Amino acid sequence: MKSTLGFILLAGTVMIMAAIFGYQSLFPREEIPYDDDQEGLKEQIVFKFSHVVAENTPKGLAAQKFAELVSEKSNGHIKIEVFPNGSLYSDIEEINALKDGQVHFIAPSTSKLGMLSPQWGVLDLPFAFPTREAALEGLNGDIGRQLLQSLQSDGIKGLAHWPNGFKQITSNKGPIQNPEDMEGQSFRIMQSNVIEAQFNRLNADALQDSFNSTFQLLEEGKVDGEENTISNIYSKKFYNLQKHLTISNHGYLGYAVMMSEKVWDEQTEETKEILLESMQETSAWNNRRAFAMNEEQLMTIKQNSSIQIHELTDEQKQEWKTALDPVYEEFSQEIGSKLVEEIKELRAKYE
């Protein structure tokens, strides 16, 4: 009897609930507002841009500028996610990450690209660009175009050159003013045989290591110094770990912006046009700002740091050139004699 009564109650409850939910369709329901942002997210194209320097550097700011322009020109349809400070990959890892499709844009220092083509070593030759104007003429002219085109054999599309500035030398062992002052000291350098050859000629020990390892190497005393642009010395606070800074302008440091040819080919013509337009505008913007930023940050270091700063005289600079110029001949065949001659002609034009 009890089981029969329970069954009747359960059946009744089910019928009542069905009736209630059924009747709801007879009443007007509040319309859910249309969210066009959600629709945009479904259609949005997202690219990852990985780099290894701080956000307040020429490359860091240029990457952010590029992202802003792409978003603006595509009405938010294309998004560039920027990952600075080596948060995704180190400068040693990022080229393989690009090839594997883990990231879509990178801007490695041109010194790293010797692993793809020895031609890139031309930009590491000592005193290759005497002035800012020389650097921009070379990068935006035939030399720069040849280098970007050389990436195609590795399935990479070269998009632009982004200069940072000229390299200086920091050390904890006495002022460095003459070439012989380098003897016996150890320095962290980028992954470049052309750069290593210069340090060898000065009887210094060169350690090729990643950019993000530099602070720790200096802090732990594993190297005596390093070479870098002022913007990198400033943003990574290397000046807090070093006693001496020499304004030598002995080499150029810049970046090549690139993406996978495969990823590029998968894009629509409209997307390609937006990316190229944004890249051209960003590059022009960076060309105006990069060298000036290094000068401004040098003034900040002078005002707020105890590091001793030494500027080479014209006579001292000539001593450095005499000591390092044999590197041109040493790497002429490996880099390509035509490219080496072009850079020598450009250098002579601006000296």
Side-chain angles (χ1 to χ4, degrees):
M1 180 70 181
K2 287 183 179 179
S3 59
T4 304
L5 180 60
F7 175 78
I8 294 171
L9 289 172
L10 177 61
T13 302
V14 171
M15 291 176 65
I16 292 169
M17 291 178 67
I20 291 172
F21 286 107
Y23 292 151
Q24 284 182 348
S25 63
L26 301 176
F27 297 96
R29 299 171 67 180
E30 184 178 348
E31 193 171 314
I32 298 173
Y34 175 70
D35 187 350
D36 58 353
D37 284 343
Q38 292 301 314
E39 180 175 309
L41 286 174
K42 290 179 185 177
E43 299 177 352
Q44 194 174 54
I45 301 170
V46 180
F47 295 109
K48 292 181 180 179
F49 193 141
S50 172
H51 68 79
V52 302
V53 298
E55 293 168 286
N56 62 332
T57 59
K59 178 163 65 173
L61 293 171
Q64 192 56 49
K65 179 72 172 177
F66 176 60
E68 292 168 2
L69 287 172
V70 168
S71 178
E72 177 185 312
K73 291 177 184 295
S74 68
N75 293 318
H77 179 61
I78 307 173
K79 181 178 181 181
I80 308 291
E81 292 184 338
V82 181
F83 297 87
N85 283 309
S87 56
L88 289 183
Y89 299 98
S90 73
D91 49 357
I92 297 175
E93 301 166 330
E94 61 184 0
I95 293 176
N96 285 333
L98 182 78
K99 288 183 173 183
D100 293 341
Q102 302 302 310
V103 292
H104 306 104
F105 289 91
I106 59 172
S109 66
T110 57
S111 299
K112 307 291 188 307
L113 301 181
M115 67 179 71
L116 299 179
S117 168
Q119 289 178 288
W120 286 91
V122 73
L123 300 182
D124 287 332
L125 290 169
F127 298 99
F129 298 129
T131 65
R132 170 186 178 276
E133 290 73 23
L136 294 179
E137 181 176 330
L139 297 169
N140 296 325
D142 186 56
I143 294 172
R145 283 192 295 272
Q146 287 184 65
L147 294 175
L148 290 179
Q149 288 170 2
S150 73
L151 298 171
Q152 291 179 348
S153 59
D154 283 278
I156 294 172
K157 181 170 183 63
L159 294 169
H161 289 278
W162 285 355
N164 181 324
F166 297 116
K167 294 186 293 184
Q168 323 302 342
I169 300 171
T170 68
S171 172
N172 274 330
K173 288 189 175 178
I176 294 176
Q177 294 172 300
N178 303 301
E180 54 267 27
D181 295 332
M182 298 278 285
E183 187 171 351
Q185 293 199 49
S186 58
F187 297 85
R188 177 269 167 184
I189 64 168
M190 290 182 286
Q191 291 78 30
S192 165
N193 292 334
V194 178
I195 296 175
E196 184 174 33
Q198 296 170 51
F199 282 77
N200 289 342
R201 285 197 168 272
L202 300 173
N203 297 312
D205 295 323
L207 174 64
Q208 296 189 28
D209 210 328
S210 70
F211 177 69
N212 292 104
S213 300
T214 307
F215 190 94
Q216 186 176 357
L217 290 171
L218 293 172
E219 189 175 41
E220 294 177 356
K222 292 182 178 178
V223 293
D224 299 311
E226 53 85 49
E227 60 160 12
N228 237 306
T229 59
I230 290 297
S231 68
N232 286 341
I233 292 169
Y234 175 79
S235 64
K236 292 297 186 181
K237 296 182 169 52
F238 295 154
Y239 59 86
N240 285 336
L241 303 174
Q242 301 275 264
K243 296 177 182 177
H244 300 275
L245 165 62
T246 300
I247 306 301
S248 54
N249 292 333
H250 65 280
Y252 163 81
L253 191 155
Y255 314 103
V257 191
M258 56 186 70
M259 68 185 302
S260 160
E261 283 273 14
K262 180 177 180 294
V263 173
W264 173 260
D265 291 340
E266 290 171 350
Q267 307 311 311
T268 65
E269 290 305 313
E270 182 183 8
T271 296
K272 290 177 182 178
E273 184 178 346
I274 289 170
L275 293 176
L276 286 177
E277 265 188 33
S278 301
M279 185 59 65
Q280 289 168 359
E281 289 183 28
T282 301
S283 299
W285 179 84
N286 182 67
N287 288 346
R288 294 191 298 270
R289 288 179 54 86
F291 292 92
M293 180 180 292
N294 279 275
E295 293 172 6
E296 292 164 6
Q297 291 175 343
L298 176 59
M299 292 300 298
T300 303
I301 291 174
K302 286 180 178 179
Q303 294 167 2
N304 301 299
S305 170
S306 61
I307 193 169
Q308 295 183 43
I309 298 176
H310 316 280
E311 299 200 30
L312 299 183
T313 65
D314 290 340
E315 290 180 358
Q316 288 171 333
K317 190 170 285 190
Q318 189 55 52
E319 286 182 40
W320 285 80
K321 289 179 181 177
T322 301
L324 294 175
D325 274 355
V327 174
Y328 281 77
E329 184 62 32
E330 182 180 348
F331 284 90
S332 179
Q333 187 173 352
E334 181 177 320
I335 292 171
S337 56
K338 181 177 179 294
L339 261 179
V340 172
E341 285 305 312
E342 284 186 61
I343 207 82
K344 286 168 71 174
E345 290 173 10
L346 185 63
R347 170 176 155 175
K349 175 181 175 181
Y350 284 92
E351 278 185 329

